[in-house]
Amino acid sequence: METQTIKTEEFWNREHIVEKFWNGLKDGVIYAKKCKECGEIAFPPRMACNECGCPDTEWITLSGKAELKSFVFTGALNARLELEDKGLKYVCGEVQFEEGPCYNAIIINMKKKKAREIQDKLPVKLRPVFFDMGRYTTLYFELDE
């Protein structure tokens, strides 16, 4: 493997990790990083591969197709005020993208009754929701029914 040298000013450049990612969400695109050494896909994107430690990664686009593997109801201390203020019901869940990465996400438009109905049917299909927070856009999911 060839050693890669990164200048300090390039290392701290926001583009390496966050700028492209957040701009992608604003445009309805989900970016991740793929390791050129082992092929591991990291979401959210990271500076180096979590699997093998290789710093040589490339940007890829995820399809947005995902499944809800498990979920929990949130308590008052974990409330998402931006959702509560809009009267949106939600759960926190383990989401797995079709491309492989798994992470914890907010599943919106999920009332307790619906959550209990799907609990024994997991995994269920999800679709991405690009949620405008004003200063930035974040990624939530909802059931793909």
mmCIF file of all heavy atoms in Angstrom, residues 63-68 95-99 101 124-128 141 144:
data_model
loop_
_atom_site.group_PDB
_atom_site.id
_atom_site.type_symbol
_atom_site.label_atom_id
_atom_site.label_comp_id
_atom_site.label_asym_id
_atom_site.label_seq_id
_atom_site.Cartn_x
_atom_site.Cartn_y
_atom_site.Cartn_z
ATOM 1 N N SER A 63 -28.132 4.580 -2.214
ATOM 2 C CA SER A 63 -29.431 4.605 -2.889
ATOM 3 C C SER A 63 -30.534 5.204 -2.020
ATOM 4 O O SER A 63 -31.534 5.699 -2.540
ATOM 5 C CB SER A 63 -29.835 3.179 -3.278
ATOM 6 O OG SER A 63 -30.074 2.406 -2.104
ATOM 7 N N GLY A 64 -30.373 5.122 -0.704
ATOM 8 C CA GLY A 64 -31.434 5.558 0.205
ATOM 9 C C GLY A 64 -32.358 4.418 0.595
ATOM 10 O O GLY A 64 -33.126 4.528 1.537
ATOM 11 N N LYS A 65 -32.273 3.303 -0.141
ATOM 12 C CA LYS A 65 -33.090 2.138 0.208
ATOM 13 C C LYS A 65 -32.538 1.548 1.503
ATOM 14 O O LYS A 65 -31.331 1.313 1.628
ATOM 15 C CB LYS A 65 -33.057 1.098 -0.904
ATOM 16 C CG LYS A 65 -33.711 1.581 -2.168
ATOM 17 C CD LYS A 65 -33.606 0.545 -3.262
ATOM 18 C CE LYS A 65 -34.218 1.076 -4.549
ATOM 19 N NZ LYS A 65 -34.048 0.133 -5.653
ATOM 20 N N ALA A 66 -33.444 1.325 2.461
ATOM 21 C CA ALA A 66 -32.994 0.864 3.766
ATOM 22 C C ALA A 66 -34.085 0.041 4.438
ATOM 23 O O ALA A 66 -35.236 0.038 3.999
ATOM 24 C CB ALA A 66 -32.628 2.061 4.641
ATOM 25 N N GLU A 67 -33.682 -0.639 5.507
ATOM 26 C CA GLU A 67 -34.623 -1.421 6.309
ATOM 27 C C GLU A 67 -34.480 -1.030 7.768
ATOM 28 O O GLU A 67 -33.382 -0.740 8.247
ATOM 29 C CB GLU A 67 -34.331 -2.914 6.184
ATOM 30 C CG GLU A 67 -34.680 -3.499 4.850
ATOM 31 C CD GLU A 67 -34.481 -5.009 4.823
ATOM 32 O OE1 GLU A 67 -33.624 -5.543 5.568
ATOM 33 O OE2 GLU A 67 -35.187 -5.650 4.033
ATOM 34 N N LEU A 68 -35.613 -1.058 8.450
ATOM 35 C CA LEU A 68 -35.641 -0.864 9.891
ATOM 36 C C LEU A 68 -35.458 -2.224 10.532
ATOM 37 O O LEU A 68 -36.260 -3.133 10.317
ATOM 38 C CB LEU A 68 -36.977 -0.241 10.314
ATOM 39 C CG LEU A 68 -37.181 -0.013 11.806
ATOM 40 C CD1 LEU A 68 -36.138 0.954 12.358
ATOM 41 C CD2 LEU A 68 -38.597 0.517 12.054
ATOM 42 N N VAL A 95 -31.146 1.317 11.460
ATOM 43 C CA VAL A 95 -31.426 1.349 10.030
ATOM 44 C C VAL A 95 -30.239 0.748 9.289
ATOM 45 O O VAL A 95 -29.091 1.088 9.567
ATOM 46 C CB VAL A 95 -31.662 2.806 9.561
ATOM 47 C CG1 VAL A 95 -31.754 2.892 8.050
ATOM 48 C CG2 VAL A 95 -32.912 3.373 10.223
ATOM 49 N N GLN A 96 -30.542 -0.132 8.331
ATOM 50 C CA GLN A 96 -29.479 -0.703 7.507
ATOM 51 C C GLN A 96 -29.743 -0.349 6.054
ATOM 52 O O GLN A 96 -30.786 -0.655 5.497
ATOM 53 C CB GLN A 96 -29.389 -2.214 7.650
ATOM 54 C CG GLN A 96 -28.231 -2.773 6.842
ATOM 55 C CD GLN A 96 -27.905 -4.205 7.180
ATOM 56 O OE1 GLN A 96 -28.720 -4.934 7.724
ATOM 57 N NE2 GLN A 96 -26.696 -4.603 6.865
ATOM 58 N N PHE A 97 -28.758 0.340 5.452
ATOM 59 C CA PHE A 97 -28.846 0.673 4.042
ATOM 60 C C PHE A 97 -28.692 -0.587 3.198
ATOM 61 O O PHE A 97 -28.006 -1.526 3.583
ATOM 62 C CB PHE A 97 -27.745 1.664 3.647
ATOM 63 C CG PHE A 97 -27.997 3.065 4.093
ATOM 64 C CD1 PHE A 97 -27.370 3.569 5.217
ATOM 65 C CD2 PHE A 97 -28.855 3.884 3.391
ATOM 66 C CE1 PHE A 97 -27.589 4.868 5.633
ATOM 67 C CE2 PHE A 97 -29.098 5.189 3.789
ATOM 68 C CZ PHE A 97 -28.463 5.678 4.922
ATOM 69 N N GLU A 98 -29.280 -0.573 2.019
ATOM 70 C CA GLU A 98 -29.156 -1.672 1.068
ATOM 71 C C GLU A 98 -27.683 -1.978 0.778
ATOM 72 O O GLU A 98 -27.303 -3.133 0.587
ATOM 73 C CB GLU A 98 -29.892 -1.281 -0.221
ATOM 74 C CG GLU A 98 -29.836 -2.297 -1.320
ATOM 75 C CD GLU A 98 -30.603 -1.830 -2.546
ATOM 76 O OE1 GLU A 98 -30.120 -0.905 -3.240
ATOM 77 O OE2 GLU A 98 -31.691 -2.379 -2.788
ATOM 78 N N GLU A 99 -26.845 -0.945 0.788
ATOM 79 C CA GLU A 99 -25.422 -1.112 0.502
ATOM 80 C C GLU A 99 -24.630 -1.683 1.676
ATOM 81 O O GLU A 99 -23.441 -1.960 1.543
ATOM 82 C CB GLU A 99 -24.804 0.231 0.076
ATOM 83 C CG GLU A 99 -25.327 0.759 -1.236
ATOM 84 C CD GLU A 99 -26.633 1.550 -1.118
ATOM 85 O OE1 GLU A 99 -27.198 1.665 -0.004
ATOM 86 O OE2 GLU A 99 -27.112 2.047 -2.144
ATOM 87 N N PRO A 101 -24.136 -0.391 5.261
ATOM 88 C CA PRO A 101 -23.948 0.302 6.537
ATOM 89 C C PRO A 101 -25.203 0.320 7.397
ATOM 90 O O PRO A 101 -26.320 0.443 6.888
ATOM 91 C CB PRO A 101 -23.580 1.728 6.129
ATOM 92 C CG PRO A 101 -23.124 1.642 4.731
ATOM 93 C CD PRO A 101 -23.847 0.476 4.123
ATOM 94 N N VAL A 124 -38.500 -4.057 8.102
ATOM 95 C CA VAL A 124 -39.447 -3.466 7.154
ATOM 96 C C VAL A 124 -38.718 -2.392 6.345
ATOM 97 O O VAL A 124 -37.747 -1.802 6.800
ATOM 98 C CB VAL A 124 -40.686 -2.867 7.863
ATOM 99 C CG1 VAL A 124 -41.496 -3.951 8.543
ATOM 100 C CG2 VAL A 124 -40.296 -1.796 8.864
ATOM 101 N N LYS A 125 -39.218 -2.149 5.157
ATOM 102 C CA LYS A 125 -38.576 -1.192 4.242
ATOM 103 C C LYS A 125 -38.835 0.250 4.680
ATOM 104 O O LYS A 125 -39.909 0.589 5.170
ATOM 105 C CB LYS A 125 -39.076 -1.411 2.827
ATOM 106 C CG LYS A 125 -38.654 -2.768 2.272
ATOM 107 C CD LYS A 125 -38.808 -2.826 0.772
ATOM 108 C CE LYS A 125 -38.392 -4.159 0.226
ATOM 109 N NZ LYS A 125 -37.058 -4.583 0.548
ATOM 110 N N LEU A 126 -37.801 1.075 4.463
ATOM 111 C CA LEU A 126 -37.852 2.500 4.775
ATOM 112 C C LEU A 126 -37.491 3.315 3.550
ATOM 113 O O LEU A 126 -36.851 2.814 2.628
ATOM 114 C CB LEU A 126 -36.841 2.834 5.877
ATOM 115 C CG LEU A 126 -37.022 2.185 7.226
ATOM 116 C CD1 LEU A 126 -35.815 2.475 8.119
ATOM 117 C CD2 LEU A 126 -38.298 2.655 7.895
ATOM 118 N N ARG A 127 -37.875 4.575 3.567
ATOM 119 C CA ARG A 127 -37.431 5.521 2.545
ATOM 120 C C ARG A 127 -36.867 6.749 3.262
ATOM 121 O O ARG A 127 -37.306 7.092 4.363
ATOM 122 C CB ARG A 127 -38.552 5.888 1.591
ATOM 123 C CG ARG A 127 -39.677 6.656 2.200
ATOM 124 C CD ARG A 127 -40.711 7.074 1.132
ATOM 125 N NE ARG A 127 -41.950 7.444 1.780
ATOM 126 C CZ ARG A 127 -43.028 6.678 1.828
ATOM 127 N NH1 ARG A 127 -43.044 5.500 1.246
ATOM 128 N NH2 ARG A 127 -44.112 7.088 2.448
ATOM 129 N N PRO A 128 -35.904 7.407 2.639
ATOM 130 C CA PRO A 128 -35.287 8.575 3.274
ATOM 131 C C PRO A 128 -36.204 9.793 3.246
ATOM 132 O O PRO A 128 -37.010 9.962 2.331
ATOM 133 C CB PRO A 128 -34.035 8.814 2.427
ATOM 134 C CG PRO A 128 -34.362 8.238 1.093
ATOM 135 C CD PRO A 128 -35.300 7.089 1.345
ATOM 136 N N PHE A 141 -35.959 8.900 8.325
ATOM 137 C CA PHE A 141 -36.586 7.872 7.500
ATOM 138 C C PHE A 141 -38.045 7.765 7.867
ATOM 139 O O PHE A 141 -38.474 8.228 8.924
ATOM 140 C CB PHE A 141 -35.899 6.507 7.710
ATOM 141 C CG PHE A 141 -34.537 6.440 7.100
ATOM 142 C CD1 PHE A 141 -33.423 6.872 7.772
ATOM 143 C CD2 PHE A 141 -34.385 5.942 5.801
ATOM 144 C CE1 PHE A 141 -32.164 6.820 7.202
ATOM 145 C CE2 PHE A 141 -33.132 5.885 5.215
ATOM 146 C CZ PHE A 141 -32.021 6.327 5.923
ATOM 147 N N ASP A 144 -41.788 2.726 4.194
ATOM 148 C CA ASP A 144 -42.026 2.734 2.748
ATOM 149 C C ASP A 144 -43.188 1.792 2.480
ATOM 150 O O ASP A 144 -43.000 0.637 2.147
ATOM 151 C CB ASP A 144 -40.769 2.280 2.008
ATOM 152 C CG ASP A 144 -40.885 2.461 0.505
ATOM 153 O OD1 ASP A 144 -41.849 3.100 0.055
ATOM 154 O OD2 ASP A 144 -40.006 1.959 -0.218
#
